[in-house]
Amino acid sequence: MTDDFVIRAVRGDEWEKVKELRLGALRDPAAAVAFLETLEGALSQDDAYWQRRAAGAAEGRGARQFVAEAGDGSWVGSVTVLIEAQGATDFFGEVIEQQQGHVVGVFVRPEQRGSGLVERLFDAALEWAWSLEEPATERVRLFVHEDNARAEAFYRRYGFEATGVLIPLETGAKEREYVVVRPAGAVG
């Protein structure tokens, strides 16, 4: 039952839990099509890397990581929103035309998939993105691997729409861009 979990932003001092959940995500069989990072790469990072990662996702307006926390304190899911500022250059070398969010690191442990927990994580993440002011976040985007049909179906069901933008990966596969625009009347 998803009511048994608290959805909240990470705190900067929770780097060990950030690390543990990320390593769990990268061990998942779907990781090869869900993440651009490898387990080996993540394991090679020192504690200072994880401390910076947690602090960066907990403070300011550049990024925010949301987690689903069980009653026993364990984390069973996560979503991160990076804020891409208008006029900056994105990961692909393109100039960003309007302030936007970029959802990354979507993960829910296998035993919680299909429970509604990912919807609650997305609700929190998008609520935060829409709450930013001056400049307001005008849209939130994400990329999904062409072979990740389960994730793609969820994103469409949640309200994201394909833009037609395809990003080629080094493997020869492609990722599709999906976007949801700022709802009318969003406070921010």
Side-chain angles (χ1 to χ4, degrees):
M1 181 170 208
T2 65
D3 292 342
D4 297 337
F5 299 94
V6 172
I7 308 299
R8 65 172 181 83
V10 301
R11 294 184 295 271
D13 63 350
E14 294 180 308
W15 67 270
E16 291 171 301
K17 284 187 168 186
V18 167
K19 177 182 177 180
E20 186 276 327
L21 188 63
R22 182 64 173 183
L23 294 177
L26 293 171
R27 287 183 178 103
D28 187 275
V33 296
F35 303 110
L36 298 178
E37 180 180 30
T38 64
L39 177 61
E40 295 75 23
L43 286 169
S44 73
Q45 299 297 336
D46 63 10
D47 289 349
Y49 167 86
W50 295 102
Q51 291 163 357
R52 285 189 306 275
R53 185 174 176 139
E59 303 167 3
R61 63 180 283 133
R64 190 70 80 239
Q65 181 179 2
F66 293 88
V67 294
E69 184 176 48
D72 65 3
S74 64
W75 291 0
V76 299
S78 177
V79 170
T80 300
V81 180
L82 309 175
I83 298 300
E84 299 173 323
Q86 180 179 10
T89 304
D90 69 11
F91 298 111
F92 313 108
E94 299 294 323
V95 175
I96 298 163
E97 296 179 13
Q98 58 191 345
Q99 177 164 303
Q100 63 189 10
H102 187 149
V103 172
V104 297
V106 178
F107 175 70
V108 173
R109 294 195 192 271
E111 63 272 15
Q112 293 301 324
R113 292 180 187 153
S115 70
L117 205 53
V118 74
E119 287 90 345
R120 291 185 57 207
L121 285 162
F122 265 74
D123 289 348
L126 292 183
E127 180 180 323
W128 176 77
W130 302 142
S131 76
L132 298 175
E133 298 179 342
E134 298 181 29
T137 305
E138 297 301 330
R139 70 183 204 148
V140 173
R141 70 177 177 168
L142 55 82
F143 290 87
V144 62
H145 191 285
E146 63 186 349
D147 293 334
N148 197 345
R150 180 182 177 107
E152 201 165 16
F154 166 74
Y155 300 140
R156 283 194 311 268
R157 214 172 36 254
Y158 193 83
F160 283 81
E161 295 182 5
T163 64
V165 172
L166 295 173
I167 302 297
L169 301 174
E170 291 178 7
T171 62
K174 294 180 180 66
E175 289 205 342
R176 292 184 185 97
E177 182 186 52
Y178 278 79
V179 170
V180 64
V181 297
R182 180 183 187 82
V187 177

